[in-house]
């Protein structure tokens, strides 16, 4: 039951419910639910599935009556979720109990059927008490979905300290939920039960069990760290490699998988540890706590000699205590967009796909940055046959920000007028296609004004890389769109204006399992590097050629693929359009270039060759 107390979206439910009419949970579609689900689909796929499938777990009915949203279970006789006959009195009693929660409570467990209303009263404490976690436990997923339909929870979920789980409401069920999110060691905790929820022990007995499990967990943690620190490590011969995959289902994940295959081809044992990059970005500290138990268990049982992470600085994921206890080499593979870190360790190596990044990472404190090109993570044994049904294919994100993100970025620099003008001019200058103009030269020739820290310099660099690259890609792709362009990429919808010409060409994101099909139908594959790719090519460069696609690419990468023999290059917009026209009408020449390019990649630019490069730079043997 929901009253008009501020903090709970009474209006959301009132708009969804006609007065006096009972509707089912499956009919209860609200803007809050849609927004929550869209957010969860990106940041927490498991919880998204739970909420999506919730309508089958319990029959709940809702009614708008006299300014009170009521909910009951569809059984006979009628049973109110609060149980009892006077909901207003019960709500007042709940409110008084919530007001009495001690301010120093670090773990608040909401167990039972009143979680929607109680949660609404306690959410603000996540902001006022930065060490507090709230754990919501419900016996059915339907009751969680009811909460998500009534409240926009996105801002609170983004803090990483609001947790939902479906579990039996008993001591073991609650303790398993605590284990799931690693919420041990809370100095003060409060267990709130709805009026009709009965526990199989007293609160004192629950607290005793919690303290016992917390002590056991801390003992295990100390022992695991000690064992890691005492383990003999081999600094030369790598027999076991742990690969951290922050990109499941994304192109970055393909690189990790390709590295794994290359290791296994050399009889090096591997383990893949999948993580959620969105949760790392949103709440790094809290996410480390969630994964710590499973990570310690893996490190103890597998005992790796080498750790590799694509895109993310390993100590951010492992935490300082675990990383220092490991005492093994760590390799961070970095694309142009790398996260800002300044604390590095002696055993860290940074593989950069752009030579211009080396001095930037040295400036940040990276002890061993080195260049290695990104290589083909997909490669056929022979060129894939194509029916040339699709004249021109471009696969890749715009890299551009949404209008809302651009506005937020500009707002954070208010008062620095010279810097704001610099953004606008730099974005315009970089959008003009000229391979002589790149981000590194531009910043060198046009120093960024009014910045005060390395972090600010990084934020400006990242913004110009994204927006300059997006504008350049948009300009070139609009020029060739009338010639038969099929555009694939996940972020174009947010970047393109509603009436943008490229919307007619956009086919949506390309699922990884569908990628090979593009080579069965595409005639020409266009590559447009970012303004940050100067000395090292991007991921499409080797993948397109490795699958036998006829690649028409910008950049000066003839030391990787021979011009007009293994790939086709362009240096201006007019040259791009001319070469597209030519090769669309000369399929036999295309086939010859496709065959030579595919053979060159297969022989020289796969992750097997990448392993040789890494081995030499890190002075490691893979045995």
């Amino acid at each position: 039951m929901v009253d008009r107390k501020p903090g709970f979206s009474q209006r959301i439910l009132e708009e969804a419910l006609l007065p006096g009419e009972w509707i089912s949970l499956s009919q209860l579609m609200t803007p809050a639910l849609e927004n929550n689900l869209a957010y969860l689909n990106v940041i927490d796929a498991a919880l998204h599935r739970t909420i999506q499938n919730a309508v089958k777990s319990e029959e709940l009915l809702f009614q708008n009556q006299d300014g009170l949203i009521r909910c009951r279970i569809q059984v006979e006789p009628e049973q109110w979720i609060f149980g009892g006959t006077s909901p207003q009195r019960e709500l007042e009693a709940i409110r008084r109990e919530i007001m009495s929660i001690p301010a120093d409570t670090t773990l608040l467990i909401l167990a039972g059927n009143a979680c929607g209303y109680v949660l609404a009263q306690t959410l603000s404490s996540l902001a006022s008490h930065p060490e507090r976690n709230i754990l919501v436990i419900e016996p059915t997923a339907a009751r969680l979905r009811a909460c998500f339909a009534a409240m926009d929870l996105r801002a609170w979920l983004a803090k990483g300290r609001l947790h939902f789980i479906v579990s039996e409401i008993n001591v073991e069920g609650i303790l398993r939920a605590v284990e799931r999110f690693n919420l041990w060691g809370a100095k003060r905790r409060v267990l709130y039960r709805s009026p009709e929820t009965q526990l199989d022990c007293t609160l004192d007995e629950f607290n005793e069990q919690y303290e016992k499990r917390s002590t056991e967990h801390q003992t295990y943690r100390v022992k695991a760290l000690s064992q890691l620190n005492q383990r003999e490590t081999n600094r030369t011969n790598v027999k076991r490699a742990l690969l951290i995959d922050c990109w499941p289902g994304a192109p970055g994940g393909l690189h990790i998988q390709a590295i794994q295959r290359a290791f296994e081809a050399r009889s090096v044992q591997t383990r893949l540890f999948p993580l959620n990059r969105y949760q790392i970005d949103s709440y790094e500290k809290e996410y480390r706590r969630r994964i710590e138990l499973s990570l310690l268990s893996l490190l103890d049982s597998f005992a790796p000699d080498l750790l590799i992470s694509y895109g993310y600085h390993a100590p951010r994921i492992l935490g300082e205590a675990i990383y220092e206890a490991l005492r093994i080499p760590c390799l961070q593979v970095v694309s142009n967009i790398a996260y800002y870190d300044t604390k590095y360790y002696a055993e860290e190596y940074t593989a950069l796909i752009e030579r211009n990044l080396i001095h930037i990472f040295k400036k940040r404190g990276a002890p061993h940055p080195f260049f290695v090109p990104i290589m083909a993570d997909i490669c056929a044994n022979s060129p894939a046959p194509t029916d040339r049904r699709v004249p021109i294919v471009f696969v890749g994100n715009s890299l551009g920000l949404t209008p809302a993100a651009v506005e937020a970025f500009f707002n954070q620099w208010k008062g620095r007028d010279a810097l704001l003008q610099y953004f606008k001019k730099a974005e315009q200058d970089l959008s003009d296609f000229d391979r002589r103009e790149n981000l590194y030269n531009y910043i060198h020739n046009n120093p960024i004004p009014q910045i005060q820290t390395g972090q600010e310099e990084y934020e400006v660099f990242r913004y110009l890389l994204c927006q300059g690259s997006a504008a350049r890609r948009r300009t070139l792709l609009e020029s060739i769109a009338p010639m038969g362009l099929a555009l694939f990429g996940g972020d174009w919808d947010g970047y393109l204006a509603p009436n943008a010409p490229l919307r007619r060409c956009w086919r949506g994101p390309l699922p990884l399992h569908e990628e090979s099909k593009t080579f069965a139908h595409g005639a020409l594959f266009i590559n447009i590097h970012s303004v940050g790719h100067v000395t090292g090519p991007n991921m499409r460069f080797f993948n397109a050629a490795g699958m036998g696609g006829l690649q028409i690419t910008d950049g000066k990468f003839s030391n990787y693929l021979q011009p007009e023999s293994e790939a086709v290059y362009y240096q201006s917009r007019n040259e791009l359009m001319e070469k597209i026209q030519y090769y669309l009408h000369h399929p036999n020449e295309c086939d010859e270039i496709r065959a030579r390019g595919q053979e060159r990649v297969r022989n020289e630019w796969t992750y097997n060759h990448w392993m040789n490069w890494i081995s030499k730079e890190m002075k490691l043997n893979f045995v």
Side-chain angles (χ1 to χ4, degrees):
M1 300 178 183
V2 185
D3 71 354
R4 297 181 183 277
K5 183 70 177 176
F8 197 86
S9 295
Q10 174 75 13
R11 177 184 56 79
I12 291 176
L13 290 180
E14 283 185 341
E15 291 178 354
L17 298 170
L18 296 174
E21 178 183 353
W22 286 99
I23 72 167
S24 67
L25 180 63
S26 61
Q27 297 172 300
L28 189 63
M29 296 301 298
T30 66
L33 180 62
E34 293 176 359
N35 290 334
N36 287 328
L37 287 175
Y39 179 77
L40 288 177
N41 191 39
V42 173
I43 199 167
D44 194 336
L47 183 55
H48 178 265
R49 288 192 298 270
T50 297
I51 302 302
Q52 276 284 57
N53 300 329
V55 292
K56 303 174 183 178
S57 65
E58 188 178 24
E59 292 289 339
L60 298 183
L61 297 175
F62 300 86
Q63 182 191 55
N64 177 0
Q65 185 176 19
D66 301 326
L68 183 73
I69 304 301
R70 305 196 295 178
C71 176
R72 67 178 176 86
I73 307 169
Q74 189 173 337
V75 296
E76 294 294 342
E78 183 178 279
Q79 176 188 347
W80 294 96
I81 281 188
F82 278 138
T85 58
S86 179
Q88 289 290 9
R89 285 201 298 271
E90 292 178 13
L91 293 177
E92 286 299 329
I94 289 171
R95 193 175 296 124
R96 287 194 297 271
E97 288 186 63
I98 293 170
M99 293 289 290
S100 67
I101 294 175
D104 60 348
T105 298
T106 51
L107 176 58
L108 175 58
I109 303 172
L110 307 180
N113 304 334
C115 84
Y117 179 81
V118 177
L119 180 62
Q121 307 299 308
T122 58
L123 278 175
S124 61
S125 68
L126 290 174
S128 55
H129 302 289
E131 297 301 317
R132 178 173 293 180
N133 281 271
I134 296 178
L135 173 60
V136 178
I137 307 174
E138 282 296 318
T140 68
R143 304 185 187 212
L144 292 185
R145 185 180 176 103
C147 292
F148 278 73
M151 291 176 282
D152 190 337
L153 297 168
R154 290 173 294 175
W156 307 109
L157 288 167
K159 294 183 178 296
R161 294 183 284 116
L162 175 60
H163 318 278
F164 291 89
I165 196 167
V166 178
S167 176
E168 296 178 357
I169 308 297
N170 54 35
V171 171
E172 276 306 311
I174 295 173
L175 293 175
R176 281 196 302 270
V178 171
E179 177 85 5
R180 164 69 178 79
F181 298 106
N182 193 14
L183 297 172
W184 302 115
K187 296 179 181 178
R188 183 188 285 273
R189 62 217 155 266
V190 170
L191 172 59
Y192 179 86
R193 300 167 297 163
S194 60
E196 76 286 6
T197 301
Q198 299 297 321
L199 276 182
D200 51 356
C201 72
T202 66
L203 289 178
D204 287 341
E205 290 171 336
F206 167 77
N207 282 321
E208 182 179 345
Q209 284 291 319
Y210 178 90
E211 290 287 355
K212 178 183 176 183
R213 299 280 185 94
S214 289
T215 300
E216 291 172 352
H217 167 259
Q218 181 60 21
T219 300
Y220 168 76
R221 184 178 188 275
V222 171
K223 181 180 177 181
L225 289 174
S226 177
Q227 288 176 338
L228 285 176
N229 195 46
Q230 294 174 14
R231 183 174 69 87
E232 291 186 8
T233 58
N234 192 325
R235 302 301 181 90
T236 303
N237 298 321
V238 175
K239 297 181 179 180
R240 293 174 297 277
L242 175 61
L243 310 176
I244 297 178
D245 183 6
C246 300
W247 306 83
L254 292 179
H255 296 303
I256 288 293
Q257 293 166 28
I259 293 171
Q260 183 179 32
R261 291 192 298 271
F263 269 123
E264 292 176 348
R266 299 177 180 225
S267 299
V268 175
Q269 297 180 51
T270 64
R271 291 291 186 277
L272 205 62
F273 190 61
L275 297 178
N276 187 314
R277 66 188 182 279
Y278 300 110
Q279 294 184 21
I280 296 172
D281 295 342
S282 297
Y283 38 84
E284 175 188 321
K285 177 183 175 183
E286 289 76 15
Y287 188 63
R288 278 205 307 268
R289 184 198 66 243
R290 291 190 189 187
I291 66 173
E292 184 181 70
L293 292 175
S294 57
L295 180 59
L296 282 172
S297 177
L298 176 60
L299 293 173
D300 179 52
S301 61
F302 183 56
D305 304 309
L306 173 67
L307 187 148
I308 295 182
S309 172
Y310 182 83
Y312 284 81
H313 185 47
R316 290 185 61 189
I317 302 167
L318 276 64
E320 187 172 332
I322 294 178
Y323 188 83
E324 289 187 331
L326 267 178
R327 298 178 300 111
I328 63 174
C330 169
L331 174 64
Q332 179 193 10
V333 184
V334 176
S335 62
N336 285 109
I337 301 177
Y339 298 91
Y340 187 77
D341 297 297
T342 56
K343 185 171 184 178
Y344 286 84
Y345 298 79
E347 290 284 354
E348 284 193 83
Y349 292 79
T350 310
L352 303 165
I353 66 171
E354 171 56 52
R355 287 187 173 89
N356 282 291
L357 289 173
I358 292 177
H359 81 278
I360 295 177
F361 274 78
K362 283 184 176 179
K363 183 179 177 181
R364 293 182 185 179
H368 306 294
F370 62 93
F371 169 76
V372 57
I374 202 166
M375 298 191 192
D377 51 48
I378 54 174
C379 187
N381 292 324
S382 60
T386 176
D387 58 18
R388 300 170 62 88
R389 184 189 309 169
V390 182
I392 308 168
V393 178
F394 179 85
V395 179
N397 288 331
S398 72
L399 297 182
L401 305 177
T402 64
V406 171
E407 181 181 4
F409 179 81
F410 271 74
N411 285 340
Q412 78 180 79
W413 309 99
K414 281 185 175 179
R416 304 191 203 182
D417 294 341
L419 183 57
L420 293 174
Q421 291 301 317
Y422 180 88
F423 294 150
K424 296 176 181 178
K425 185 176 188 304
E427 183 177 344
Q428 179 60 46
D429 292 344
L430 291 168
S431 70
D432 292 335
F433 179 67
D434 182 346
R435 286 306 303 176
R436 295 169 298 178
E437 188 68 275
N438 60 67
L439 182 57
Y440 310 101
N441 286 345
Y442 189 88
I443 291 177
H444 177 77
N445 296 328
N446 303 274
I448 306 170
Q450 295 184 309
I451 56 170
Q452 301 167 359
T453 66
Q455 175 73 47
E456 289 185 349
E457 182 182 27
Y458 158 75
E459 291 180 15
V460 174
F461 176 93
R462 184 184 176 99
Y463 175 83
L464 295 180
L465 176 63
C466 291
Q467 292 300 95
S469 300
R472 179 174 292 186
R473 289 181 176 183
R474 186 191 69 240
T475 301
L476 287 174
L477 292 173
E478 284 177 350
S479 298
I480 63 176
M483 304 166 75
L485 172 67
L487 171 62
F488 297 91
D491 70 346
W492 288 95
D493 189 39
Y495 172 71
L496 292 175
N499 59 347
L502 285 181
R503 284 197 174 273
R504 294 190 294 271
C505 306
W506 183 55
R507 306 285 182 87
L510 180 64
L512 295 182
H513 66 275
E514 296 284 333
E515 188 170 353
S516 61
K517 292 182 180 179
T518 63
F519 296 100
H521 304 304
L524 308 178
F525 292 82
I526 306 304
N527 196 355
I528 307 171
H529 286 82
S530 79
V531 296
H533 283 93
V534 181
T535 64
N538 60 20
M539 60 186 297
R540 282 175 298 280
F541 183 83
F542 289 123
N543 280 351
M547 290 300 292
L550 190 284
Q551 179 179 196
I552 302 182
T553 182
D554 62 340
K556 296 181 179 179
F557 302 119
S558 57
N559 53 327
Y560 300 106
L561 294 177
Q562 292 279 332
E564 314 309 313
S565 172
E566 297 165 341
V568 177
Y569 292 85
Y570 64 93
Q571 299 298 327
S572 69
R573 182 167 58 175
N574 288 338
E575 187 180 9
L576 170 62
M577 298 175 70
E578 289 171 1
K579 290 192 171 181
I580 288 175
Q581 287 282 13
Y582 178 83
Y583 285 103
L584 282 176
H585 293 90
H586 293 80
N588 291 336
E589 290 187 40
C590 290
D591 289 342
E592 293 173 3
I593 296 172
R594 291 194 314 125
R596 288 191 293 265
Q598 196 276 334
E599 183 180 12
R600 177 81 182 278
V601 170
R602 189 177 71 251
N603 291 334
E604 297 185 21
W605 301 116
T606 67
Y607 271 92
N608 183 52
H609 305 90
W610 184 89
M611 296 287 289
N612 295 334
W613 201 310
I614 296 298
S615 173
K616 181 179 179 181
E617 290 286 351
M618 297 182 68
K619 297 179 175 59
L620 295 175
N621 299 317
F622 302 129
V623 296

